[in-house]
Amino acid sequence: MAMRILIVGAGAVGGYFGGRLAQAGRDVTFLVRPSRAKQLRQDGLRIVSPHLNAVLTPKLVSAEEIDSAYDFVFLSVKAYALEAAMNDFAAAIGPETMMFPALNGMRHIDLLARRFGEHAVIGGVCLVASEIDDEGRIVQLADFQQLVYGERNGETTPRLKTLDATLQGAGFDARLSTDIMQAMWEKWVQLASLGAITCLARGTIGEIVAAPGGADLSLKVLDESAAVATACGHKPSETLLARHAAAMTAPESSLTSSMYRDLRKGALVEADHILGDFIERGDAHGITTPLLKAAFVNLRVYKERLPKR
């Protein structure tokens, strides 16, 4: 029987992967806020992508309309919005529901497991560069698009095999992992490093590298992040670090982080979840992270200046 899929949020990430799944014929419903629902009903779910554009008529539901459990729930809200969102999708979680939280960092795992039980929460890594433009379209900024998922204990269970079969052939790269926690930590290293340097320097990687000492500063930030992950038992591979080092020192690169893009828009940023929690875990192991801390303080000052919501 086909899996019933609930995508929580139809923004840059949930809208993209949920849209591709719906386009591939999967049973997909989006849980969205009234304003986004109105826009989607009027204009459709629009994707602008190097992998072909799409306009879909999505199946939508509000929190009050959820009346049964779903097989698979894909969480794509920002980390700072998770606690409020949990109340919205709680009715969709049953004894056999799998939740794939496509959030950054690790704090969300504890929050979800505490609310819905350890069994409900699988590990996941989402790799895509996308944003919502002024017209409400989902715009993919680069050609990579991948979901990686697995049981947090490393087992290959029947339910994960069913999920894997559902996600394969849906228009993006999908991979079942037996070491998903390592994959999540490695992504966290990349997010913390790229987020810290682009927000601290207020520029793209190319602009940072063009400044005297910029490339060296980027590498020092990466070294701090790798040291935290290593101390926490998840040492990044040398191959991965070399790839990140090359990306973070590439001349004329337009690469930025989602935190920096949010900052430029004057929006909330995930500083506490991507940097704050990361730094705290490093501190617990005696790891010194002056550049990460400088970026975090910078972003906390920025947050305090935002209009209260």
Side-chain angles (χ1 to χ4, degrees):
M1 188 167 64
M3 296 188 79
R4 293 181 69 232
I5 300 171
L6 181 68
I7 309 291
V8 180
V13 174
Y16 184 79
F17 286 105
R20 292 305 190 199
L21 285 165
Q23 193 176 18
R26 309 301 192 265
D27 183 1
V28 175
T29 302
F30 293 89
L31 172 61
V32 292
R33 298 290 186 186
S35 59
R36 183 61 168 155
K38 180 180 178 181
Q39 185 177 52
L40 292 172
R41 289 191 177 103
Q42 177 179 302
D43 302 321
L45 178 67
R46 295 169 293 166
I47 297 173
V48 179
S49 165
H51 300 282
L52 299 179
N53 300 342
V55 179
L56 307 168
T57 302
K59 185 161 53 172
L60 308 176
V61 69
S62 66
E64 297 77 19
E65 294 170 334
I66 298 175
D67 57 6
S68 62
Y70 285 76
D71 301 307
F72 178 58
V73 175
F74 184 83
L75 308 179
S76 60
V77 299
K78 291 288 190 179
Y80 50 73
L82 177 60
E83 292 193 63
M86 287 195 293
N87 294 325
D88 291 339
F89 65 77
I93 310 301
E96 299 305 319
T97 301
M98 282 181 285
M99 281 189 286
F100 180 139
L103 283 80
N104 298 320
M106 289 286 175
R107 186 180 292 175
H108 62 278
I109 295 289
D110 295 334
L111 286 172
L112 290 166
R114 203 157 45 234
R115 174 74 181 268
F116 301 106
E118 294 286 346
H119 180 68
V121 187
I122 66 171
V125 169
C126 169
L127 300 172
V128 69
S130 56
E131 64 181 9
I132 299 287
D133 70 6
D134 293 339
E135 299 178 38
R137 303 178 304 174
I138 298 160
V139 180
Q140 190 177 8
L141 305 174
D143 64 358
F144 58 87
Q145 46 177 12
Q146 185 180 50
L147 294 181
V148 186
Y149 37 88
E151 298 285 5
R152 288 183 288 135
N153 62 8
E155 294 181 6
T156 302
T157 57
R159 70 175 187 163
L160 259 294
K161 290 180 180 178
T162 299
L163 176 61
D164 186 49
T166 299
L167 298 183
Q168 293 296 330
F172 52 81
D173 299 326
R175 180 169 64 86
L176 177 59
S177 171
T178 56
D179 196 4
I180 193 62
M181 299 307 291
Q182 178 68 17
M184 291 172 69
W185 268 94
E186 289 184 345
K187 182 186 178 185
W188 202 2
V189 166
Q190 190 264 346
L191 288 172
S193 303
L194 183 61
I197 193 62
T198 55
C199 290
L200 190 59
R202 295 294 199 273
T204 67
I205 287 298
E207 291 169 333
I208 294 165
V209 170
D216 184 58
L217 199 66
S218 288
L219 293 176
K220 283 183 168 60
V221 170
L222 181 59
D223 286 344
E224 288 184 9
S225 299
V228 171
T230 300
C232 292
H234 294 278
K235 182 179 180 179
S237 71
E238 292 303 320
T239 300
L240 180 101
L241 290 176
R243 187 165 69 245
H244 288 337
M248 291 179 63
T249 56
E252 301 182 9
S253 171
S254 61
L255 180 64
T256 61
S257 65
S258 59
M259 277 204 302
Y260 176 61
R261 294 193 294 272
D262 286 340
L263 183 152
R264 288 197 64 185
K265 295 175 185 175
L268 282 172
V269 296
E270 295 180 304
D272 291 342
H273 309 85
I274 294 177
L275 289 178
D277 189 31
F278 194 74
I279 290 165
E280 285 181 15
R281 292 172 192 250
D283 285 346
H285 290 279
I287 304 300
T288 303
T289 55
L291 292 174
L292 292 176
K293 286 179 179 176
F296 179 60
V297 170
N298 186 302
L299 288 171
R300 286 302 300 262
V301 171
Y302 161 80
K303 177 184 176 182
E304 291 304 315
R305 289 180 175 175
L306 290 175
K308 300 304 178 185
R309 306 187 181 199

